[in-house]
Amino acid sequence: MTANKKTAIVVAPGRGTYGKGELGSIARLHGARFADLIADFDAQRRARGQPTVSELDGADRFSVATHMRGDVAAPLIYAATLLDWLSIDRERYDVVVALGNSMGWYSALAIGGTVSVADGFRIANAMGLNSQAHGPGGQILLQIVDADWRSVPGLRDVLLALAAAIDARPGHALALSIDLAGMLVFAGNEEGLAALLAEAPPTPGRDPLRLAGHGPFHTPLMAGSAERARAELPAALFGRPALPLVDGRGHIWRRFSADPAMLWDYSFGHQILAPYDFALSVQVAVKEYAPDVVILPGPGDTLGGAIAQALIGIGWQGLTSKAAFAQRQASDPILLAMGRAEQRALVAG
């Protein structure tokens, strides 16, 4: 490693990150350099009778009804993330671990070398379809930090207790889906979600938000998705990772000891059916590998707040508030989001 080379962890974003502002970004940022890889992604989609990544990214306008649908959003996000990953300047950054948020786990598998980039696209594309195999329901996001990104005392415990009480009622299903540090995502059936909206205490910053186009991810209601994944995506796709991976439990899959069959089992079992603790995965990664920076590939940069809030949650390098994080970003940025042009310039080769 050269003297001025920085260590980095890479965090792959999940659903909801390819929006109106990202339309056309795959062709604009990567079309010339990675034309062959994009052509492979397009060929995989074409073989399944699906609109290609190039067609979707090159649409005249962004359509919530189209671009936010699982079978479209997942391959677009995967393509943008992996092409950004391949664009990182390795003369400046030594990537030491990979992780992701929710669907971003499938991107992390390819970033970490557990599956090939092409097979990672196959997985993301299949899971985009499979994610629509579930019973009625969805996700609701609630904020649990104040304007300075400090936890509101007791609010997390109150919401978790309320969710458990609602889930215990006949005909109701509700559980924690994703822990995003400053926000909690709950998932359930329509009865469970309605009860949560009606009974949740006031939360700071924003009203509870029903996430458009999202199913009851990371709950047992996704059993159909897990069954389809196991039937369609064989364990033979998986090998030992070339980089350590931190999953949605905070578990580290190490390079020489990770069992590919167990990685497959986790990816299409627990990862789909149980809560995803994104905050813990970030905290474990920085504690274990002490990186100089956190790199967030595109699309977009919306996961940046959750990463910062996870770091604030453990006081990482003295970060105790939004103001402290902003000050650090201005002087010596710890989070480099490739969806932001000025930060991308610090990362991309």
Side-chain angles (χ1 to χ4, degrees):
M1 188 187 304
T2 58
N4 59 352
K5 200 170 187 180
K6 293 185 175 182
T7 57
I9 66 173
V10 172
V11 183
R15 287 281 295 274
T17 52
Y18 186 103
K20 184 177 181 180
E22 287 66 53
L23 189 67
S25 62
I26 293 173
R28 175 171 51 84
L29 295 172
H30 305 294
R33 184 177 179 186
F34 297 114
D36 290 348
L37 201 49
I38 294 170
D40 176 77
F41 297 163
D42 286 349
Q44 289 195 46
R45 294 274 295 179
R46 199 176 293 113
R48 297 185 67 148
Q50 299 171 300
T52 66
V53 166
S54 294
E55 290 165 354
L56 294 164
D57 183 61
D60 291 336
R61 64 185 64 184
F62 183 84
S63 164
V64 172
T66 298
H67 288 87
M68 297 293 281
R69 213 172 60 220
D71 61 319
V72 170
L76 284 172
I77 291 165
Y78 176 89
T81 298
L82 264 290
L83 296 174
D84 266 4
W85 151 249
L86 294 171
S87 302
I88 294 172
D89 186 346
R90 305 309 165 82
E91 295 300 314
R92 285 190 280 177
Y93 298 99
D94 178 36
V95 178
V96 294
V97 68
L99 58 147
N101 176 43
S102 188
M103 182 228 126
W105 172 250
Y106 303 121
S107 301
L109 290 173
I111 290 169
T114 292
V115 301
S116 70
V117 173
D119 283 340
F121 184 86
R122 173 182 169 184
I123 290 169
N125 194 50
M127 292 310 299
L129 280 168
N130 293 342
S131 70
Q132 297 169 174
H134 57 75
Q139 290 178 315
I140 290 173
L141 182 148
L142 299 99
Q143 185 165 316
I144 57 170
V145 291
D146 63 20
D148 206 22
W149 290 352
R150 291 188 171 105
S151 294
V152 175
L155 182 55
R156 174 189 296 269
D157 291 340
V158 167
L159 289 172
L160 291 174
L162 175 61
I166 291 172
D167 186 63
R169 299 174 191 170
H172 292 65
L174 188 69
L176 179 66
S177 175
I178 307 173
D179 188 329
L180 287 171
M183 295 168 283
L184 297 180
V185 180
F186 290 92
N189 63 10
E190 295 300 334
E191 292 79 6
L193 297 175
L196 178 63
L197 287 174
E199 299 172 37
T203 54
R206 66 165 81 194
D207 292 331
L209 175 67
R210 176 75 181 258
L211 298 176
H214 288 214
F217 303 148
H218 307 296
T219 73
L221 294 173
M222 298 300 297
S225 176
E227 289 169 7
R228 289 190 185 191
R230 288 171 179 272
E232 181 179 356
L233 300 164
L237 296 175
F238 285 65
R240 283 196 172 88
L243 285 176
L245 303 171
V246 183
D247 69 21
R249 305 165 298 178
H251 173 78
I252 301 172
W253 298 87
R254 302 186 189 275
R255 288 186 297 161
F256 301 111
S257 61
D259 181 339
M262 292 179 67
L263 258 170
W264 175 86
D265 183 69
Y266 165 79
S267 298
F268 303 129
H270 189 286
Q271 196 274 346
I272 297 173
L273 301 171
Y276 201 94
D277 197 334
F278 174 70
L280 180 62
S281 71
V282 173
Q283 292 164 353
V284 167
V286 297
K287 286 180 179 179
E288 185 78 9
Y289 295 94
D292 295 313
V293 296
V294 179
I295 295 176
L296 173 62
D301 64 352
T302 53
L303 194 60
I307 294 171
Q309 289 159 5
L311 298 178
I312 290 167
I314 55 171
W316 179 252
Q317 296 187 0
L319 299 176
T320 56
S321 65
K322 183 178 182 180
F325 174 75
Q327 185 176 9
R328 171 65 184 270
Q329 287 293 98
S331 61
D332 180 24
I334 190 171
L335 175 61
L336 300 175
M338 296 180 74
R340 295 191 174 198
E342 73 281 4
Q343 293 177 10
R344 183 183 192 85
L346 299 174
V347 176

